Amino acid sequence: QLQLVESGGGLVQPGGSLRLSCTAIGGTLDDYAVGWFRQYPGEESWGISCINSRDGIPHYIDAVKGRFTASGDNAKNTMYLEMNSLKPEDTATYFCAARPSRIKVSCLEIFGYNIWGQGTQITVSS
């Protein structure tokens, strides 16, 4: 059964960078869309970036466009989210998640994501 393991969170100063990793265990991501979500305390998770294996094109919400870059390494079965120019408002818990690539709803939408990483905290503060 496919599982996702995240790593890479932590504390960073405003303007700094972090890279999150999301590694699939027990299977491959070949037939999945992988999304990155963030959750503020007491709120729901919101999609911020995603890549569907069908086209490999990354998508971003406006709040992170130009600062975050999603990518993948098929050989390592790992997806990455490179985050630059981090702001205090990026402070949140970040999750990666996977869903079947055949789902036609925008991969930024939480619908259909049924495999979730454990989440990692990112704190942007001076």
Side-chain angles (χ1 to χ4, degrees):
Q1 184 174 352
L2 189 69
Q3 298 180 56
L4 300 177
V5 178
E6 295 181 54
S7 61
L11 173 65
V12 63
Q13 292 187 342
S17 299
L18 283 174
R19 187 178 76 163
L20 300 182
S21 300
C22 177
T23 300
I25 297 173
T28 71
L29 294 170
D30 292 350
D31 296 317
Y32 289 88
V34 175
W36 291 96
F37 295 81
R38 67 183 176 191
Q39 184 177 37
Y40 298 116
E43 298 185 12
E44 298 178 347
S45 295
W46 292 94
I48 60 171
S49 180
C50 60
I51 296 179
N52 193 320
S53 62
R54 290 195 167 190
D55 58 23
I57 298 173
H59 302 273
Y60 308 94
I61 60 170
D62 288 345
V64 306
K65 197 173 295 183
R67 300 188 298 124
F68 291 11
T69 301
S71 63
D73 184 333
N74 289 338
K76 296 183 178 179
N77 223 15
T78 297
M79 303 298 290
Y80 302 100
L81 185 67
E82 185 76 35
M83 301 179 291
N84 299 312
S85 302
L86 282 161
K87 305 175 181 180
E89 52 263 41
D90 294 318
T91 296
T93 302
Y94 286 72
F95 297 88
C96 65
R99 73 181 191 194
S101 61
R102 65 179 180 274
I103 295 177
K104 295 183 179 181
V105 174
S106 166
C107 60
L108 289 171
E109 299 290 336
I110 200 169
F111 175 81
Y113 283 96
N114 57 355
I115 303 170
W116 288 80
Q118 80 276 19
T120 187
Q121 176 68 34
I122 290 177
T123 302
V124 184
S125 176
S126 55

